[in-house]
Amino acid sequence: ELIGVEDRVAAENWILERRKKFLESGNQKAYNEDLQNNPLNEEEIFRKTIVNNFNTNILNKQMHEINILVHPKWTKYKLEWVIDEKTKVAKIPYEVKCVPLKPHENQDECVWIIDGELPSKAFVNKYCSGIDSYDINESKESKSLGAMLVLDRVTKMPVAAIRCRPQRREVFYELCIKLSVLYKLIGNVLIDIANGVILTHFENAGLRHYLADRPRKFESEKSEQSHEKGVRLTGFSKPRMVSLMETHIEDYGHLIWFPALISELGNYDEVEIGSDNDLADAYGIALMQDISCEIRPKNMEENVVKNRFELTQFEDDGKGGLRRKGGGGTLKDIQEDSDLMWDMFGPPQ
């Protein structure tokens, strides 16, 4: 027996056992407070312990996974219109190309895209997005940056994001339009109409058909809303949006690779309407659109039948008969065909 010497192993085991009991009893708040007051390692020292209904443990674990990466899983791009060589203006219909952003270029005018997650050409209706915009170039009352998030509706991974506040709001609007065109978000751009000037920007660009319809699934029966496009976050719709966020974090939190989104979710105010957690709001709005869009993603390559319109080719089977070229049985003569049909369906009536 050691007198006057700390038993670190026993103390650590005691702390871990206490935490286990908190989790088994469902006392998430006590568990998080214990992590904050009795950290056992560097990861726990710097973890967030703000308690809301989001699974803080999943968010903290994912932030740790992000922090230990040698290189982020995403790349910054600037988006440019593809120019028509004849007219010297943007091609119609619009096309967008991605150019990796260089360190010396403006970091406030770019998009983030997960590596390997540029838009898939095989699918249609594969992506949806949410936008939390702003109408004023500079605001003394808000730190809001404006944000857009693109969600893969098949994997449920957030694959692209905008989170910046360029000097002019029109630059932000243009970034959102370009990202929408890049991912072919036709009918799947859901925008919070609390700052709805951006809707007019889409319409003026001839892209009204990119805007998502008002998601009626998130309205009360007594709702008097009459706008056609976009969503209004209210005391009725926001709790339902937050519920979607909670579920997505539980099921797909390990697919969130944007640290800014993890950070905002950790600080998220579930009650406040019009918070400064713009990327988190854009994430929630994208989830609303995923639920609201009744047309599911479709893999067009699955419907491609090779040689659909080519006639069957035949070759000599070496026995005086014919067989399908490339394989297949020998064709039967008329009597054999008759006998086969008789066996299968009985004699003719």
Side-chain angles (χ1 to χ4, degrees), residues 181-195:
V181 170
L182 179 67
Y183 280 88
K184 294 181 171 57
L185 298 173
I186 297 173
N188 271 320
V189 181
L190 188 61
I191 299 174
D192 180 2
I193 65 170
N195 296 293

Side-chain angles (χ1 to χ4, degrees), residues 64-125:
H64 175 69
E65 293 296 322
I66 293 172
N67 289 336
I68 63 177
L69 291 172
V70 176
H71 184 277
K73 282 185 175 286
W74 47 274
T75 300
K76 291 182 178 181
Y77 292 93
K78 58 182 179 180
L79 302 181
E80 298 178 351
W81 294 118
V82 175
I83 302 300
D84 189 308
E85 294 182 0
K86 294 181 179 180
T87 63
K88 305 303 179 183
V89 296
K91 274 188 175 181
I92 302 294
Y94 293 124
E95 294 179 23
V96 171
K97 62 180 178 180
C98 296
V99 180
L101 194 71
K102 297 179 181 178
H104 67 273
E105 294 180 312
N106 191 341
Q107 303 296 303
D108 288 334
E109 297 181 10
C110 69
V111 303
W112 308 335
I113 299 178
I114 298 294
D115 295 339
E117 294 297 334
L118 286 169
S120 170
K121 296 181 180 179
F123 280 82
V124 293
N125 221 45

Side-chain angles (χ1 to χ4, degrees), residues 64 84 95 103 112 158 178 202 232 291 315 337:
H64 175 69
D84 189 308
E95 294 179 23
W112 308 335
K178 288 176 178 176
F202 269 82
R232 187 183 300 280
I291 293 294
E315 61 185 1
D337 285 342

